[in-house]
Amino acid sequence: MTFRPRARILANLESIYREAYERAKAAGDQARMADLDAAYQREQLLLEVLLDLRDALGSLSAPTEERPGGPGAPRRPGGKDRPDKNPGPDPITALETIRRITRLR
């Protein structure tokens, strides 16, 4: 599966907020402008975390090397099929990060 590029997603977010910000500016609504600015920063941070998770989880689904001895060979001790040198991203850490961020709300 191919994903939309990170830059395009963030540009879309900025475009949406910029249009609303310009409307508030034209109306002279300073409170709305401040609210939109804060909301944009919050949404950008959350979106970047989600994109990081997408990238991390996407790299986990990449094909792994075949086990020595073929597909029917026994697994390595501890159930690990990858060498310990490159364990890859840790999804538990990513989920803990999301939990900490959502507490900020």
Side-chain angles (χ1 to χ4, degrees):
M1 174 182 250
T2 56
F3 298 114
R4 287 185 288 163
R6 176 182 294 259
R8 179 177 163 203
I9 293 170
L10 293 173
N12 287 343
L13 176 69
E14 182 179 357
S15 172
I16 290 167
Y17 275 97
R18 175 128 350 251
E19 289 173 15
Y21 186 87
E22 292 301 323
R23 284 192 303 270
K25 187 176 181 180
D29 190 348
Q30 295 292 326
R32 179 72 177 143
M33 289 167 59
D35 287 344
L36 286 167
D37 188 44
Y40 171 71
Q41 290 178 37
R42 182 181 61 247
E43 294 297 322
Q44 183 182 28
L45 176 63
L46 290 172
L47 186 55
E48 286 178 356
V49 169
L50 290 173
L51 290 170
D52 289 344
L53 285 171
R54 176 193 76 175
D55 295 344
L57 293 174
S59 69
L60 287 177
S61 65
T64 58
E65 294 179 17
E66 195 173 296
R67 277 184 249 153
R75 300 185 86 147
R76 293 179 58 196
K80 296 179 182 177
D81 289 331
R82 294 192 283 196
D84 293 335
K85 292 184 270 182
N86 186 11
D90 180 17
I92 300 301
T93 303
L95 290 172
E96 288 172 353
T97 302
I98 291 174
R99 187 173 59 95
R100 281 195 315 269
I101 289 172
T102 56
R103 283 186 189 171
L104 297 174
R105 292 183 136 198

